[in-house]
Amino acid sequence: MQLGLSVSDSDVSSFTPLVVLELADDTKAEAITWLLNRIRDKQQNGGAELLVNQLLFPAQDDQKPNPNVFLVGSTLQRLLNGAEDVGLFKEFQDGTMRGFTYANRESFKDFNGDGEGVLSDAECQYIIKHELDTLRAKNEEHVPGYPKLKLYPGKSVVRRLQSKGVLIQYFPLHNKEDLKRLSFSWYKKFKLSFQPLDDIRHYFGEGLALYFGFLEYFTFALVPMALIGIPYYLFDWEDYDKYVLFAVFNLVWSTVFLEVWKRCSATLAYGWGTLSRKKAFEEPRAGFHGALGFNPVTGREEPVYPSSKRQLRIYLVSVPFVLLCLYLSFYVMMVYFDMEFWAINIYNENPDIATSILLFVPSIIYAVVIEIMNLLYRFAAEFLTDWENHRLESSFQNHLVLKVLVFNFVNCFASLFYIAFVMQDMVLLRQSLATLLITSQILNQVMEAFLPYWLQRRRNKKVHKRMRRLMGDKELPLLGQVQLETEMNTYLGTFDDYLEQFLLFGYVSLFSCVYPLAAVLVVLNNITEVYSDAFKMCHVFKRPFSEPATNIGVWQLAFETMSIIAVVTNCALIGLSPQMKAYFPESDTQLILIVVTIEHVLLAFKFILAFVIPDVPKHIQVNLAKLEFDSLEALKKRIIEIWKDMTMKENN
Amino acid sequence: MQLGLSVSDSDVSSFTPLVVLELADDTKAEAITWLLNRIRDKQQNGGAELLVNQLLFPAQDDQKPNPNVFLVGSTLQRLLNGAEDVGLFKEFQDGTMRGFTYANRESFKDFNGDGEGVLSDAECQYIIKHELDTLRAKNEEHVPGYPKLKLYPGKSVVRRLQSKGVLIQYFPLHNKEDLKRLSFSWYKKFKLSFQPLDDIRHYFGEGLALYFGFLEYFTFALVPMALIGIPYYLFDWEDYDKYVLFAVFNLVWSTVFLEVWKRCSATLAYGWGTLSRKKAFEEPRAGFHGALGFNPVTGREEPVYPSSKRQLRIYLVSVPFVLLCLYLSFYVMMVYFDMEFWAINIYNENPDIATSILLFVPSIIYAVVIEIMNLLYRFAAEFLTDWENHRLESSFQNHLVLKVLVFNFVNCFASLFYIAFVMQDMVLLRQSLATLLITSQILNQVMEAFLPYWLQRRRNKKVHKRMRRLMGDKELPLLGQVQLETEMNTYLGTFDDYLEQFLLFGYVSLFSCVYPLAAVLVVLNNITEVYSDAFKMCHVFKRPFSEPATNIGVWQLAFETMSIIAVVTNCALIGLSPQMKAYFPESDTQLILIVVTIEHVLLAFKFILAFVIPDVPKHIQVNLAKLEFDSLEALKKRIIEIWKDMTMKENN
């Protein structure tokens, strides 16, 4: 709440702009007036009661940009009320986290004066987003000026404007001072330190802070594997069968660290007040469409789309499409193997430096192709999932994640599985693994940070030039900042970042007993990843709205599934090792039985471990129980009071 | 709430007695006076505000029974208030289940007149139990007359009196008319029908109704297995390797039915109003002891016992003890095998009818020994778990269940595992399985129903005789009923009943491909089990207090674990079958690999199925969401009202 900027406007007293709304430049004037009135209107009248102003351009600007850009802010009191409305949890005087209420506001720890400092920047913007999203149509039948933009009582105005492209985007503004401070403590000092998770959360919200927390935790968790892997690599390159111990260590370790992460994330989420927060009722997605009907939960009028139709779309179109893509992926894999054999043949005929370099070419090409296929598939999956017409954003996300995960898993690891278990060529496996891992890391860093950075710099230069022309050499004011941020790319959420970590985890764990150096490579990658991710959040993308996340959600499940598959693959690899076979020279049967038994024991051990380690640390459990107990006691007191009232009335 | 009995007493107006309190017959008079006053005192003064009277004996009774028996009842208004206090959910006018509140009492469906009919019998008694349990000490330092029975503010009076044996027992009274009606619809008519679950719940509460619901569901679920099993038994006895299909069907079926049960139990629990009910704060167990300290959750003074000490007791005493018992169980198993070989030798030397009967003797003896060991172990486990000094009843129960489950599983199935996988003697396996199953069924029915019934009849006769001597030939009045029920055995909860079903499930599923008739036997057993369990609840045991259960709790997990183990055992049995071996004459390796692959696919399929089938049916999810939504809307309205108030004040 210490944004340094303020809108100077003659009509309204100045306020700190927090959120930018951009409407299409051909939006009809009556629609704009209506929307601004609804946003400014009192809550009693169903308005959002926020402050909003148009961004004014200097008259001499010849290169007409979109004039329909609006800045939204709010009074402090409105924000504090909104905090109660969205159900924020804040630290109470006694150190526990409690649901913030306006009535008790002075009993919260950071409350002083008028209430500055209780709400973080990201929270203020989240509250404004929530109030805008829940601004509902009253009796309007359509958006003024747009007879085709039908409305019905209770429909979210913003969602409707968004779905038809009248509202192009709305996003929170960066706070230059805070950003400077954050980026300094985050990635500009070159000493080793933990990431400033609380500051990240303060600025970007819980969802992103949890991602960076996980990234850091995961990297630290890989350090022991990496340290043990180095001597294996240095001294025993060809004796991969000595990696049995290493594999067992990896399996146990990956289970433990995933379990412990749940506790860490619960601790973080508790401290940030999201753990005990109740989920608000979810609005339909902006893109959701259907015949008008009644929502069975709210009883309100809203579009209804029969889930049977959605099921048909999923099973008759999406599933066959995914299977087709998987088939394609297999086909590409077989082409890669042809290339591989061709390269080996050339090398065998004429072994020199040129041909030995040629040996790596097929793997590198294949790795690039994999990345391109992943990218194309990603677009297709998004299109399909959108077409499935899910009512809720969460259900959309789950279906998207499932589609993408299955394909990426197969696409990235199919060749490795084929080499390991069909061809049983461990040398090739090791070489393929290394090439795939390194190539995909390099590609990823380029695609996700450097390329957008380069594009952004070009745009920045253009805006700066124009601003200098308009304003002379003064420091870039609000106008320029808004212009700049409006054109920045939108950060699409943590999905791709988690996906990348998930695939890296696969490279480390699935074939760990063949290539112990994988952990080292991933640790090195993640150290640069922290910096490039931090940089891209601060300077390449628009500031995202904060998401009040409690945990890493479906990714926890994905990582756990991967670690279960890893048990199976590692046991199988150990069973295939010649050294193990040497112990049982007469019969394979005994060897297989022993390996299968060990596998079952390891799997059982994993499940027991997951069951035994509590997901939430003891002291947080106690605090949550305390909260529950207090609210029960309050309820009981209220009952006794009603009871007293009643008996008093009866006696009179 | 239509109890026909009433206490006639000169001092107080008559009331319907619901609960019986029995104090030790040498309890000091001042303690009794104090306790009765506390029970009768107003809620404002920290009392329970219940009605209580001593049970009066006719003067001419020479055979002095315990005079300190008290009857507890309540006014209807107090019960309705208590219903809000314990958080009961009731059907609202619009058909959804909502938390009952005294203020809105008239909007609930079954409310008419003064409120008769809203609360079931079992609920009234549960409310009285709750009010008695939460009757707390105020400033008393000890129980009057007992300087050693220390009290501290907030200590539950009833728990303290119980822990030192001053309060011998308290239990709900039977309602003779309702009982007659229930037992008629339950087990007295001889036509095939579903069990009257709603009536059972009405009379005994949700916990027991869920058990009977599960028993019925489980039995029906076994019928398809039994039907498929019969032709296998009739036509293909010796070709057990043809059971592959049967085994696969069993595995899939057991997964599906366990998943569907979750939905059924959610539906039942929703209709009974326990699904959305919040759990109250749990009091320490009556037997829990420790140095006086502060509870971190409530902040109240209460005994504290360091969990490190408990851990020491668990790991240094309980775990070694369980391991010792397991060793003993193995030892007994080896003795059984010696007996088995001895019997077979005798039969081989001299094969006639006598010796062929002798063949079954070792199995029968072993089955009886197993049951005796289970029983002895049960006592030891209860003693040990009590000694571990768990603070909460739920934690006590979990540790007890774990101890008992592990031992019973090993004790019952170890010999079968040994025969199947070490001896690989399928004929002996089938014979052992049948003998164990049948013997344990017979023993169980005798031990849990007929023996207690016979003892109870002897006691009944004695009481009836005495009553006739006192009262002449009049119908047995309240006095006699209380006398009778005071002496009945206490029903120790559904633990043993679930355990029995768990072991039966093991016999059916673990080796289903060897002995398909097991399902038939279990179905037959369960049909009689329903009748004998119903009979024992109505006539052999004291009426138990109802437990507001939402699901079958830890047993769901136990059954699911069993079905996972069953996948492994059945796949292994299929792998061992000679017919499968005939398909792969050259190498065992290929066979084993295929079996292991099938096993993994089945296990993965199980997990996916469990993940895909939602635990709560759609329409109940919608209803729960509606409830959540309404309370959020109410909160929002309240916020807007506060907001309006505030602005109005500011404007004035």
Side-chain angles (χ1 to χ4, degrees):
Chain A
M1 267 304 297
Q2 307 130 324
L3 286 177
L5 317 160
S6 72
V7 180
S8 295
D9 189 293
S10 47
D11 304 325
V12 191
S13 61
S14 71
F15 65 90
T16 316
L18 287 166
V19 171
V20 176
L21 272 179
E22 187 184 6
L23 299 179
D25 57 3
D26 57 352
T27 311
K28 301 216 170 113
E30 50 193 309
I32 296 179
T33 321
W34 169 76
L35 178 65
L36 296 189
N37 280 338
R38 289 301 318 274
I39 294 178
R40 285 183 188 132
D41 205 359
K42 296 227 162 188
Q43 278 194 288
Q44 284 121 290
N45 308 330
E49 207 161 343
L50 297 172
L51 308 172
V52 57
N53 266 334
Q54 191 155 15
L55 184 72
L56 296 177
F57 291 90
Q60 70 270 35
D61 198 351
D62 47 347
Q63 204 182 345
K64 271 281 169 251
N66 180 0
N68 291 330
V69 176
F70 299 87
L71 299 173
V72 185
S74 169
T75 63
L76 188 54
Q77 205 188 29
R78 178 75 190 88
L79 286 174
L80 292 176
N81 269 289
E84 180 169 353
D85 210 7
V86 300
L88 285 193
F89 270 63
K90 286 279 162 190
E91 193 171 356
F92 206 65
Q93 280 171 339
D94 65 355
T96 58
M97 304 298 299
R98 278 164 201 261
F100 182 81
T101 55
Y102 190 81
N104 293 333
R105 63 192 180 282
E106 314 222 328
S107 311
F108 285 84
K109 210 179 162 192
D110 296 318
F111 196 93
N112 44 34
D114 300 329
E116 301 262 343
V118 185
L119 298 176
S120 77
D121 235 41
E123 279 165 347
C124 291
Q125 293 169 331
Y126 175 75
I127 291 167
I128 289 182
K129 175 176 190 290
H130 175 262
E131 298 300 338
L132 287 177
D133 281 348
T134 54
L135 182 64
R136 294 177 191 293
K138 292 191 291 186
N139 301 317
E140 301 93 338
E141 294 200 336
H142 57 84
V143 176
Y146 293 86
K148 280 192 178 166
L149 274 180
K150 294 264 178 281
L151 287 173
Y152 44 87
K155 171 69 188 174
S156 160
V157 169
V158 165
R159 296 277 168 112
R160 172 43 42 102
L161 293 175
Q162 239 180 335
S163 69
K164 298 296 176 179
V166 177
L167 174 60
I168 298 176
Q169 59 175 344
Y170 62 122
F171 61 89
L173 267 178
H174 269 298
N175 177 329
K176 294 211 145 184
E177 271 179 50
D178 283 4
L179 186 61
K180 204 178 275 175
R181 223 174 303 132
L182 173 66
S183 56
F184 180 78
S185 70
W186 200 358
Y187 63 88
K188 283 198 178 151
K189 12 173 224 197
F190 279 99
K191 70 184 185 70
L192 251 169
S193 67
F194 292 106
Q195 289 180 82
L197 290 185
D198 283 323
D199 295 341
I200 300 172
R201 177 245 164 183
H202 208 268
Y203 195 83
F204 286 112
E206 292 82 15
L208 212 76
L210 265 182
Y211 164 68
F212 281 99
F214 179 74
L215 180 58
E216 179 174 279
Y217 177 84
F218 179 49
T219 310
F220 275 107
L222 286 178
V223 167
M225 291 194 196
L227 289 183
I228 300 177
I230 291 173
Y232 271 98
Y233 175 78
L234 292 180
F235 303 123
D236 289 315
W237 177 257
E238 289 302 317
D239 290 354
Y240 83 92
D241 30 84
K242 282 190 184 147
Y243 296 133
V244 173
L245 248 176
F246 183 68
V248 172
F249 167 77
N250 268 10
L251 297 177
V252 175
W253 177 237
S254 68
T255 308
V256 172
F257 101 68
L258 283 175
E259 282 304 311
V260 174
W261 165 251
K262 278 193 220 158
R263 296 166 65 90
C264 290
S265 91
T267 311
L268 287 174
Y270 178 77
W272 295 338
T274 49
L275 190 63
S276 19
R277 200 165 149 191
K278 284 193 186 70
K279 252 195 144 176
F281 178 76
E282 238 182 307
E283 293 288 317
R285 305 181 61 223
F288 178 67
H289 55 85
L292 215 56
F294 288 94
N295 181 312
V297 173
T298 61
R300 288 183 192 148
E301 230 180 353
E302 96 173 23
V304 171
Y305 187 77
S307 75
S308 57
K309 266 195 192 173
R310 187 178 306 125
Q311 300 289 336
L312 277 183
R313 287 183 174 190
I314 292 176
Y315 289 112
L316 295 186
V317 180
S318 297
V319 171
F321 175 80
V322 173
L323 293 177
L324 187 75
C325 288
L326 292 181
Y327 174 77
L328 249 167
S329 163
F330 279 116
Y331 187 81
V332 170
M333 180 184 85
M334 297 319 290
V335 172
Y336 155 65
F337 284 124
D338 285 346
M339 275 164 56
E340 190 72 52
F341 289 127
W342 169 80
I344 290 172
N345 279 338
I346 289 183
Y347 174 76
N348 285 345
E349 277 171 24
N350 186 10
D352 59 18
I353 297 171
T355 50
S356 76
I357 290 170
L358 187 69
L359 275 180
F360 285 91
V361 172
S363 294
I364 292 172
I365 293 176
Y366 184 52
V368 174
V369 170
I370 283 179
E371 289 296 319
I372 293 171
M373 282 168 72
N374 281 348
L375 209 67
L376 291 178
Y377 178 83
R378 177 72 204 275
F379 285 113
E382 227 160 296
F383 174 80
L384 264 183
T385 317
D386 193 52
W387 178 72
E388 283 164 17
N389 198 16
H390 293 274
R391 192 180 155 269
L392 297 182
E393 184 64 28
S394 59
S395 140
F396 172 86
Q397 286 294 340
N398 286 343
H399 280 259
L400 181 62
V401 167
L402 190 66
K403 279 195 194 70
V404 173
L405 273 192
V406 168
F407 180 79
N408 278 35
F409 183 84
V410 171
N411 201 23
C412 292
F413 301 123
S415 66
L416 299 177
F417 273 90
Y418 190 85
I419 297 173
F421 301 116
V422 180
M423 295 162 66
Q424 302 195 5
D425 180 344
M426 295 304 145
V427 181
L428 183 59
L429 177 60
R430 202 176 298 133
Q431 183 208 310
S432 271
L433 186 58
T435 324
L436 279 179
L437 183 55
I438 294 168
T439 317
S440 80
Q441 279 178 19
I442 293 172
L443 278 179
N444 256 312
Q445 300 267 8
V446 170
M447 292 290 293
E448 84 180 26
F450 298 111
L451 191 69
Y453 174 64
W454 179 72
L455 291 172
Q456 187 53 38
R457 262 187 60 168
R458 278 185 48 192
R459 276 197 294 262
N460 276 12
K461 270 188 194 153
K462 246 169 56 188
V463 172
H464 275 272
K465 224 163 103 185
R466 194 155 61 83
M467 285 297 133
R468 250 202 303 281
R469 213 178 50 232
L470 285 176
M471 310 275 186
D473 264 346
K474 281 182 287 180
E475 219 202 36
L476 201 70
L478 183 58
L479 181 61
Q481 189 198 343
V482 174
Q483 284 283 303
L484 218 87
E485 293 185 17
T486 310
E487 288 184 13
M488 275 176 158
N489 282 338
T490 305
Y491 178 64
L492 293 170
T494 46
F495 185 98
D496 289 300
D497 297 315
Y498 278 118
L499 182 62
E500 191 189 337
Q501 295 302 314
F502 172 74
L503 294 176
L504 290 178
F505 181 57
Y507 286 119
V508 173
S509 60
L510 287 180
F511 306 97
S512 63
C513 58
V514 186
Y515 188 56
L517 212 62
V520 181
L521 290 175
V522 172
V523 168
L524 291 178
N525 173 72
N526 276 5
I527 291 171
T528 60
E529 181 87 24
V530 169
Y531 287 99
S532 68
D533 279 355
F535 179 77
K536 90 180 175 199
M537 289 316 304
C538 292
H539 295 291
V540 179
F541 288 109
K542 274 192 199 88
R543 184 174 183 176
F545 277 113
S546 88
E547 279 172 88
T550 317
N551 48 47
I552 63 172
V554 67
W555 294 103
Q556 182 80 37
L557 192 69
F559 275 80
E560 280 167 12
T561 310
M562 181 71 94
S563 82
I564 288 172
I565 298 174
V567 172
V568 181
T569 53
N570 279 293
C571 285
L573 283 177
I574 290 170
L576 287 174
S577 74
Q579 194 158 336
M580 282 296 276
K581 281 185 182 162
Y583 280 119
F584 302 94
E586 289 124 56
S587 82
D588 277 354
T589 319
Q590 226 176 337
L591 169 64
I592 295 174
L593 285 180
I594 285 174
V595 169
V596 169
T597 312
I598 291 173
E599 187 221 342
H600 280 74
V601 170
L602 278 174
L603 284 176
F605 179 71
K606 264 183 90 75
F607 281 101
I608 293 170
L609 210 63
F611 192 76
V612 166
I613 300 178
D615 287 356
V616 176
K618 191 75 190 277
H619 69 280
I620 290 179
Q621 276 177 22
V622 168
N623 278 340
L624 292 178
K626 204 191 255 174
L627 202 68
E628 192 84 0
F629 176 78
D630 284 355
S631 76
L632 277 175
E633 286 294 292
L635 182 72
K636 229 178 263 175
K637 252 186 215 154
R638 202 170 61 82
I639 292 172
I640 290 178
E641 268 162 28
I642 292 172
W643 190 199
K644 271 185 199 169
D645 275 10
M646 222 168 46
T647 42
M648 257 159 57
K649 270 180 209 156
E650 273 168 20
N651 292 342
N652 292 343
Chain B
M1 265 307 294
Q2 305 131 324
L3 285 178
L5 317 160
S6 73
V7 178
S8 294
D9 190 292
S10 48
D11 304 325
V12 190
S13 62
S14 71
F15 65 89
T16 316
L18 288 166
V19 171
V20 176
L21 273 178
E22 186 184 7
L23 300 179
D25 58 0
D26 57 350
T27 310
K28 300 215 170 113
E30 49 193 310
I32 295 180
T33 320
W34 169 76
L35 178 64
L36 297 188
N37 280 337
R38 289 302 317 274
I39 294 178
R40 286 183 187 132
D41 205 357
K42 295 228 162 187
Q43 278 194 287
Q44 285 120 291
N45 308 331
E49 208 160 343
L50 298 172
L51 309 171
V52 57
N53 266 334
Q54 191 154 16
L55 184 72
L56 297 177
F57 291 91
Q60 72 268 37
D61 198 352
D62 47 346
Q63 203 182 346
K64 272 282 169 248
N66 181 0
N68 291 329
V69 176
F70 299 87
L71 300 173
V72 185
S74 169
T75 64
L76 187 55
Q77 205 187 30
R78 178 74 191 87
L79 286 174
L80 292 175
N81 269 290
E84 181 169 352
D85 210 5
V86 299
L88 284 193
F89 271 63
K90 286 280 161 188
E91 193 171 354
F92 206 64
Q93 280 171 339
D94 64 355
T96 58
M97 304 298 298
R98 277 163 201 262
F100 182 81
T101 56
Y102 190 81
N104 293 333
R105 62 192 180 283
E106 313 220 329
S107 312
F108 285 84
K109 211 179 162 193
D110 297 317
F111 196 92
N112 44 34
D114 300 330
E116 301 263 342
V118 185
L119 298 177
S120 76
D121 236 41
E123 279 166 347
C124 292
Q125 292 170 332
Y126 175 75
I127 291 166
I128 290 182
K129 175 176 191 287
H130 175 261
E131 299 300 337
L132 287 177
D133 280 349
T134 54
L135 181 65
R136 293 177 191 293
K138 293 191 290 187
N139 301 318
E140 301 94 336
E141 294 202 333
H142 57 83
V143 176
Y146 292 87
K148 278 191 177 168
L149 272 180
K150 294 264 179 280
L151 288 172
Y152 44 86
K155 172 70 188 174
S156 160
V157 169
V158 164
R159 298 278 167 113
R160 171 45 41 101
L161 292 175
Q162 240 180 335
S163 69
K164 297 297 175 177
V166 177
L167 174 61
I168 296 175
Q169 59 176 345
Y170 62 123
F171 61 89
L173 265 178
H174 268 298
N175 177 330
K176 293 210 146 186
E177 273 179 48
D178 283 3
L179 187 61
K180 204 179 273 175
R181 221 175 305 131
L182 173 67
S183 55
F184 181 78
S185 69
W186 200 358
Y187 62 87
K188 282 198 178 151
K189 14 173 222 197
F190 279 100
K191 70 184 185 68
L192 250 170
S193 67
F194 293 104
Q195 290 179 82
L197 289 184
D198 284 324
D199 295 341
I200 299 172
R201 177 245 165 184
H202 208 268
Y203 195 83
F204 286 113
E206 293 80 16
L208 212 75
L210 264 182
Y211 164 69
F212 280 100
F214 179 73
L215 180 58
E216 179 175 280
Y217 177 84
F218 179 48
T219 309
F220 275 106
L222 286 178
V223 167
M225 290 194 195
L227 287 182
I228 301 178
I230 290 173
Y232 271 98
Y233 174 77
L234 291 181
F235 304 123
D236 289 315
W237 175 258
E238 289 301 320
D239 290 353
Y240 84 92
D241 30 83
K242 285 192 185 147
Y243 296 133
V244 172
L245 250 176
F246 183 68
V248 171
F249 167 78
N250 268 9
L251 296 177
V252 174
W253 178 237
S254 67
T255 308
V256 172
F257 100 69
L258 283 175
E259 283 303 311
V260 174
W261 165 251
K262 277 192 220 158
R263 295 166 66 89
C264 291
S265 92
T267 311
L268 287 174
Y270 178 76
W272 296 339
T274 49
L275 190 63
S276 18
R277 201 167 148 189
K278 283 191 185 70
K279 253 194 144 176
F281 179 75
E282 237 183 309
E283 293 288 318
R285 305 181 61 223
F288 178 67
H289 54 84
L292 216 55
F294 288 94
N295 181 312
V297 174
T298 61
R300 290 183 192 147
E301 231 178 352
E302 94 173 24
V304 171
Y305 187 78
S307 75
S308 57
K309 266 195 192 172
R310 185 177 308 124
Q311 299 290 336
L312 277 184
R313 287 185 174 189
I314 291 175
Y315 289 111
L316 295 186
V317 179
S318 297
V319 171
F321 175 78
V322 173
L323 292 177
L324 187 75
C325 289
L326 291 180
Y327 175 78
L328 248 168
S329 162
F330 279 115
Y331 187 81
V332 170
M333 180 184 87
M334 297 319 292
V335 172
Y336 154 65
F337 284 123
D338 285 347
M339 274 166 55
E340 191 72 52
F341 290 127
W342 169 80
I344 289 173
N345 279 339
I346 289 183
Y347 174 76
N348 285 345
E349 276 171 24
N350 186 11
D352 61 18
I353 298 172
T355 51
S356 76
I357 291 171
L358 187 68
L359 274 180
F360 285 91
V361 172
S363 293
I364 293 172
I365 294 176
Y366 183 52
V368 174
V369 170
I370 283 180
E371 289 296 319
I372 294 171
M373 282 168 73
N374 281 349
L375 207 69
L376 291 178
Y377 178 82
R378 176 73 205 275
F379 285 112
E382 225 159 296
F383 174 80
L384 263 184
T385 317
D386 194 53
W387 178 71
E388 283 165 16
N389 199 16
H390 293 275
R391 192 180 155 268
L392 297 181
E393 184 65 27
S394 59
S395 140
F396 173 85
Q397 286 294 340
N398 286 343
H399 279 259
L400 181 63
V401 167
L402 190 66
K403 279 195 194 71
V404 173
L405 272 192
V406 168
F407 180 79
N408 278 34
F409 182 85
V410 170
N411 201 23
C412 292
F413 301 123
S415 67
L416 299 177
F417 273 90
Y418 191 84
I419 296 173
F421 301 116
V422 179
M423 295 161 66
Q424 302 195 3
D425 180 344
M426 295 305 145
V427 181
L428 183 59
L429 177 59
R430 202 175 300 134
Q431 183 206 313
S432 271
L433 187 58
T435 324
L436 278 179
L437 183 55
I438 294 168
T439 319
S440 80
Q441 280 177 17
I442 293 171
L443 278 179
N444 256 312
Q445 300 267 11
V446 171
M447 291 291 292
E448 83 181 27
F450 297 112
L451 192 68
Y453 173 64
W454 180 71
L455 290 172
Q456 188 54 36
R457 261 187 61 167
R458 279 186 48 194
R459 274 199 294 261
N460 277 12
K461 271 187 193 152
K462 247 170 55 191
V463 173
H464 275 272
K465 224 163 105 187
R466 195 154 60 83
M467 285 297 132
R468 251 203 302 283
R469 213 178 51 233
L470 285 177
M471 311 274 186
D473 264 347
K474 280 182 289 179
E475 219 202 35
L476 200 70
L478 183 59
L479 180 61
Q481 189 198 343
V482 174
Q483 285 283 302
L484 217 86
E485 293 186 17
T486 310
E487 286 185 15
M488 275 176 158
N489 281 338
T490 305
Y491 177 64
L492 293 171
T494 47
F495 185 97
D496 290 299
D497 297 315
Y498 278 118
L499 182 62
E500 190 189 338
Q501 294 301 316
F502 172 75
L503 295 176
L504 290 179
F505 182 58
Y507 285 119
V508 173
S509 59
L510 287 180
F511 305 98
S512 62
C513 57
V514 184
Y515 189 55
L517 213 61
V520 181
L521 290 176
V522 171
V523 168
L524 290 178
N525 173 71
N526 275 6
I527 290 171
T528 59
E529 180 87 24
V530 168
Y531 287 99
S532 68
D533 279 355
F535 179 78
K536 90 179 176 200
M537 288 317 304
C538 292
H539 294 291
V540 178
F541 287 110
K542 273 192 200 92
R543 184 173 184 177
F545 277 113
S546 88
E547 277 173 90
T550 316
N551 49 47
I552 62 171
V554 68
W555 294 103
Q556 182 80 37
L557 191 69
F559 275 80
E560 280 167 11
T561 310
M562 181 72 93
S563 82
I564 289 172
I565 298 174
V567 171
V568 181
T569 53
N570 279 293
C571 287
L573 282 177
I574 290 169
L576 286 175
S577 74
Q579 194 159 336
M580 285 295 278
K581 281 185 181 162
Y583 280 119
F584 303 93
E586 290 125 56
S587 81
D588 278 354
T589 318
Q590 227 176 336
L591 169 64
I592 295 175
L593 285 180
I594 285 174
V595 169
V596 169
T597 312
I598 292 174
E599 187 221 343
H600 280 73
V601 170
L602 278 174
L603 284 176
F605 179 71
K606 265 182 89 72
F607 281 102
I608 293 171
L609 211 62
F611 191 75
V612 166
I613 300 177
D615 288 356
V616 178
K618 189 76 189 278
H619 69 279
I620 290 178
Q621 276 177 22
V622 167
N623 278 339
L624 292 178
K626 205 190 254 174
L627 202 70
E628 192 83 1
F629 176 76
D630 285 354
S631 76
L632 276 176
E633 286 295 289
L635 182 72
K636 228 178 260 173
K637 252 185 215 154
R638 203 170 61 80
I639 292 172
I640 291 179
E641 268 161 29
I642 292 172
W643 190 198
K644 271 185 198 168
D645 275 10
M646 223 168 46
T647 43
M648 258 159 56
K649 269 180 210 158
E650 273 169 19
N651 291 343
N652 293 343

